[in-house]
Amino acid sequence: MSDADTELEARLEEQDSFEPPESFVEQANVSNPDIYEEFEENWPECWEAAADMLDWETEYDQTFDGSNPPFFEWFTGGELNASANCLDRHLDERGDEVAIEWVGEPTDEANRTYTYEDLHREVNEAAAALREMGVGEDDVVTMYMPMIPELPIAMLACARIGAPHSVVFAGFSADALATRMNAADSEYLITCDGYYRRGDPLDHLEKANEGLDNVEHDTETVVVERLPEDDAFDHDLRDDQRLWVDAVHAHKGAEVEPVARDAEDMLFLMYTSGTTGEPKGVKHTTGGYLSWAAWTSHAVLDIKPEDTYFCSADIGWITGHSYIVYGPLALGTTTMMYEGTPDHPERDRLWEIVEEYEATQLYTAPTAIRAFMKWGSEFPDQHDLSSLRLLGTVGEPINPRAWKWYYKHIGNEECPVVDTWWQTETGGMMVTTLPGVKEMKPGSAGPALPGIDAEIVDTTGEQVEPGRAGYLTIQKPWPGMLRTLYQNDERFVDEYWREYSDTDSDDWRDWTYFPEDGAKIDEDGYITVLGRVDDVINVSGHRLGTMEIESAIVGVEGVAEAAVVGGDHEMKGEAVYAYVITEDGYDGDEELRDAIIQGVEDGIGPIARPEQVIFTPELPKTRSGKIMRRLLEDIANGAELGDTSTLRNPDVVASIQEQVQK
Ligand code: WT7
């Protein structure tokens, strides 16, 4: 490092707040600081600004309907179609402009560019194919696909005919696919033959087929061929399966009238992890969700039609739904899709893409930034990143060091960084700075967005003092919020509302949304999110339920009981620590350890793979028989342990501690 660099690093290290760059503010979509006050005074009508970002087939007659809490409705009476908003309405002015720029993992493969016209045509053909298969309005279509263009095409085709999609992340296991198809009674699956991961083709259809074997009802499958012939795997399609090319090409040139959907009609389902072993089917609607995705893309990501916007998330998670597909396309911009990982073939792959396509925004996860930081600034330094105007992060807390590295080495101190807190359930961003308005404080996501009423409270619901840890709550509804858990209203109330609401009240003001995150707030209203307070852990920005992992482990032969906790991890944020009791007091060995890891990969997927498996004859329990998870977390972190004498079995602690490798 040169002296000048060292000096700069030292200065950055001390600086704890950053003004938005002047050059950014001048051109920002939102730059009026009064927006916070205006939205507060004008709630809920302020959210008409979000609805106004869309084209409605029938105007809504009520902005917000809070008459049946917590089943809130937005823009009621309105009708619209999400695919028409993402495609048709851009055709006149922007038909020739690029909608999706797809980059495959192999560097010698041509990229695929879809203009709005191309995308419109392909979505129409796919919609016609789905209709012919019998997909009707409100039939849930499951997609189990990696980052290939047919995934957003299929999503938009479903939206066009009013069939909700349920996208299952391609890295999830066959079992996870089956669980989700069964839970949603989904009779249709769109998947693909395979894809590339770090140079190797993966056989995805085999995994999909294994999943289908465990689906309890009849299904029909469409298979996209992503792999070129040389790399393709040998598969015979089953009777209830057909190729995408055959299904879609039979409808060349077809036009499918977009179905007018009620604002409150379901646009999609997304399964996410919760406290119990059963994933939760988060239901999002057409009007509220789409307007939320569009408005936040406009206000926070500062997306303009002429941008080339790059979000490196996977469409299989909510980030990709809202901020690769729906938000950017609703605004008529160019959205990038990259199939591979940032380190293949070299650790500069992302920077190469940013340079080549002149990306204007980059939205990624802290775990990726920590990896970039570890690899070193020589990789971004090899490339011209001056096209970038804004940087974003999402998925987990970002430590100030990583934030500053991102700000300096990727943004050249010229791009605001938005640290965006939100969840699958919130549909879109909730807590973050408005990049053209607010100063940034590394490590703190920022104030709640205008019109969002966030409070940090204690267990009784009282607001805590600035600087003290408490629980994040959202006091007022917002358009992008989940409407319920699919076919499980009761669990919806229990999971998100019961904690802080007067559940007997008919007045929506008595209802408070609880996201199950810990947080603190400073004197300026900036919120630092501390992490989950339920039994959910966050591994590399991926949300995993410890109960789901435990049940996968307990299913392994030779295992009697298991407790899973998250331990701190330098790169992943958190990592999976599995404490396992074997059957018959048998000492665990390598073979059982491997079987447990395999069991987790089969049950959930490689992302949930335990970092460490610790065999123990007993788990530390309270006198009343509850497993002391806190203690297991402290042990995983090598932390000082408090008083353990109140345990029923204090002796086990030392023997467990010895086994944990630090
Ligand atoms: C959980 C939601 C949001 C889309 C991707 C993850 C954590 C998310 C932040 C942030 C601190 C964050 C929370 C939240 N989280 N963003 N900027 N700072 N924590 O969606 O899988 O539904 O997970 O991710 O704990 O509850 P998800």
Side-chain angles (χ1 to χ4, degrees):
M1 236 195 277
S2 73
D3 285 356
D5 274 353
T6 322
E7 218 171 277
L8 193 62
E9 296 284 346
R11 174 171 66 65
L12 276 179
E13 202 157 318
E14 287 187 1
Q15 193 174 342
D16 48 22
S17 74
F18 296 77
E19 286 300 325
E22 201 55 44
S23 56
F24 182 88
V25 176
E26 278 164 13
Q27 59 78 61
N29 284 345
V30 176
S31 57
N32 175 8
D34 299 336
I35 184 171
Y36 290 90
E37 225 176 279
E38 285 169 13
F39 273 40
E40 195 178 331
E41 282 165 10
N42 192 28
W43 195 97
E45 283 74 25
C46 57
W47 289 126
E48 289 166 14
D52 283 349
M53 310 225 66
L54 306 180
D55 283 0
W56 294 79
E57 252 164 76
T58 310
E59 272 306 309
Y60 51 90
D61 22 64
Q62 200 180 352
T63 303
F64 167 65
D65 179 356
S67 61
N68 181 28
F71 302 96
F72 300 118
E73 299 193 340
W74 288 85
F75 313 128
T76 48
E79 288 184 317
L80 75 168
N81 181 282
S83 102
N85 270 284
C86 291
L87 301 169
D88 306 49
R89 66 168 174 158
H90 305 312
L91 290 182
D92 278 350
E93 265 180 49
R94 310 192 45 77
D96 296 337
E97 303 288 336
V98 179
I100 294 180
E101 190 74 78
W102 177 83
V103 180
E105 189 191 89
T107 43
D108 55 3
E109 188 180 15
N111 62 315
R112 281 159 68 180
T113 302
Y114 294 82
T115 63
Y116 274 93
E117 247 167 46
D118 296 334
L119 195 60
H120 179 260
R121 187 181 58 245
E122 303 230 1
V123 166
N124 271 276
E125 290 169 1
L130 290 175
R131 271 235 174 108
E132 188 208 273
M133 281 171 63
V135 179
E137 234 180 300
D138 295 315
D139 289 343
V140 177
V141 178
T142 302
M143 284 154 212
Y144 187 43
M145 277 200 269
M147 287 289 281
I148 56 175
E150 287 81 0
L151 175 53
I153 291 171
M155 290 162 73
L156 292 167
C158 281
R160 198 164 189 87
I161 60 173
H165 50 75
S166 165
V167 180
V168 178
F169 173 56
F172 273 140
S173 67
D175 284 358
L177 171 66
T179 309
R180 286 157 179 73
M181 286 186 76
N182 285 326
D185 296 317
S186 174
E187 294 174 10
Y188 303 96
L189 174 68
I190 308 179
T191 186
C192 74
D193 59 345
Y195 58 105
Y196 292 98
R197 217 12 124 245
R198 297 202 169 86
D200 297 321
L202 297 189
D203 189 343
H204 189 63
L205 185 54
E206 184 180 293
K207 218 166 56 159
N209 282 339
E210 265 174 49
L212 285 170
D213 287 340
N214 291 315
V215 174
E216 290 146 6
H217 47 264
D218 288 344
T219 57
E220 278 200 61
T221 307
V222 182
V223 182
V224 175
E225 292 167 296
R226 186 269 173 266
L227 296 174
E229 225 165 290
D230 288 353
D231 278 338
F233 297 92
D234 230 354
H235 281 296
D236 290 327
L237 291 185
R238 306 174 182 190
D239 288 345
D240 54 8
Q241 298 184 321
R242 67 182 94 180
L243 292 178
W244 172 275
V245 277
D246 298 338
V248 172
H249 289 197
H251 296 276
K252 272 234 154 319
E255 286 196 24
V256 175
E257 191 60 28
V259 171
R261 296 280 281 169
D262 191 277
E264 283 295 314
D265 279 343
M266 171 157 60
L267 178 60
F268 67 87
L269 265 181
M270 165 137 268
Y271 282 90
T272 188
S273 296
T275 301
T276 75
E278 282 292 298
K280 309 191 270 198
V282 170
K283 177 183 160 180
H284 280 297
T285 57
T286 311
Y289 169 83
L290 193 64
S291 54
W292 197 246
W295 186 82
T296 49
S297 295
H298 167 84
V300 181
L301 297 171
D302 200 52
I303 289 177
K304 302 171 170 54
E306 53 284 5
D307 282 338
T308 299
Y309 158 84
F310 185 12
C311 168
S312 72
D314 193 292
I315 295 176
W317 304 98
I318 192 74
T319 305
H321 277 50
S322 302
Y323 300 116
I324 296 177
V325 182
Y326 285 111
L329 293 177
L331 298 182
T333 196
T334 299
T335 184
M336 308 256 335
M337 280 180 75
Y338 172 51
E339 177 186 39
T341 58
D343 57 352
H344 187 85
E346 298 296 338
R347 290 172 164 180
D348 68 339
R349 185 67 193 275
L350 232 45
W351 317 125
E352 193 178 77
I353 295 172
V354 167
E355 179 173 21
E356 183 175 346
Y357 294 92
E358 300 183 43
T360 40
Q361 289 95 337
L362 180 69
Y363 192 32
T364 190
T367 187
I369 297 167
R370 289 193 295 266
F372 302 147
M373 198 162 100
K374 191 171 164 198
W375 298 340
S377 54
E378 61 266 32
F379 295 102
D381 287 352
Q382 291 160 21
H383 296 278
D384 178 2
L385 306 180
S386 61
S387 57
L388 288 169
R389 188 172 84 240
L390 172 132
L391 302 174
T393 84
V394 57
E396 46 172 334
I398 181 164
N399 45 311
R401 252 192 82 214
W403 191 104
K404 290 175 185 177
W405 187 92
Y406 192 37
Y407 180 70
K408 174 173 190 287
H409 293 283
I410 307 305
N412 195 30
E413 301 185 75
E414 284 163 356
C415 303
V417 175
V418 285
D419 171 1
T420 60
W421 176 88
W422 57 291
Q423 312 180 293
T424 304
E425 291 87 341
T426 67
M429 298 159 180
M430 300 290 285
V431 176
T432 174
T433 51
L434 281 174
V437 177
K438 289 283 183 186
E439 66 168 9
M440 302 163 269
K441 300 186 188 184
S444 161
L449 282 174
I452 296 296
D453 189 356
E455 281 181 8
I456 313 300
V457 302
D458 62 18
T459 46
T460 68
E462 286 302 311
Q463 284 200 57
V464 300
E465 295 286 306
R468 303 290 280 270
Y471 301 96
L472 177 58
T473 59
I474 311 291
Q475 303 285 330
K476 284 197 191 96
W478 65 100
M481 69 198 306
L482 80 163
R483 295 305 193 264
T484 190
L485 294 176
Y486 191 56
Q487 292 173 341
N488 204 341
D489 290 346
E490 202 180 299
R491 189 172 175 197
F492 170 63
V493 177
D494 287 345
E495 293 263 356
Y496 305 106
W497 303 95
R498 198 167 295 288
E499 196 79 25
Y500 290 111
S501 307
D502 173 2
T503 51
D504 293 328
S505 171
D506 295 337
D507 185 345
W508 64 263
R509 291 168 197 84
D510 295 328
W511 290 73
T512 296
Y513 175 82
F514 180 41
E516 304 191 85
D517 270 325
K520 57 185 188 179
I521 193 163
D522 73 7
E523 305 280 353
D524 302 326
Y526 277 56
I527 293 169
T528 296
V529 178
L530 301 168
R532 304 285 306 192
V533 294
D534 55 357
D535 295 325
V536 167
I537 61 178
N538 192 325
V539 178
S540 302
H542 298 318
R543 175 166 159 184
L544 301 169
T546 52
M547 284 273 284
E548 287 171 71
I549 306 175
E550 285 166 10
S551 76
I553 295 176
V554 173
V556 173
E557 210 180 305
V559 173
E561 201 182 338
V564 165
V565 299
D568 298 339
H569 190 279
E570 203 192 330
M571 302 305 282
K572 301 176 182 172
E574 281 186 286
V576 174
Y577 281 75
Y579 298 87
V580 175
I581 303 181
T582 58
E583 267 172 0
D584 311 326
Y586 150 76
D587 290 336
D589 56 13
E590 279 313 303
E591 204 179 316
L592 184 57
R593 191 181 308 267
D594 290 347
I596 288 170
I597 290 173
Q598 194 58 48
V600 172
E601 294 198 357
D602 292 346
I604 299 157
I607 44 168
R609 189 189 162 95
E611 186 77 12
Q612 283 190 42
V613 176
I614 299 124
F615 292 112
T616 171
E618 281 177 60
L619 292 166
K621 289 189 176 162
T622 60
R623 294 248 157 82
S624 62
K626 262 190 83 175
I627 297 174
M628 287 276 285
R629 286 169 182 283
R630 256 304 114 129
L631 189 66
L632 292 174
E633 272 171 36
D634 288 345
I635 295 174
N637 292 335
E640 271 306 307
L641 304 184
D643 181 17
T644 55
S645 62
T646 56
L647 289 178
R648 177 195 280 181
N649 48 359
D651 300 346
V652 299
V653 175
S655 84
I656 298 177
Q657 256 178 321
E658 270 167 33
Q659 281 192 63
V660 176
Q661 291 148 21
K662 269 285 126 184

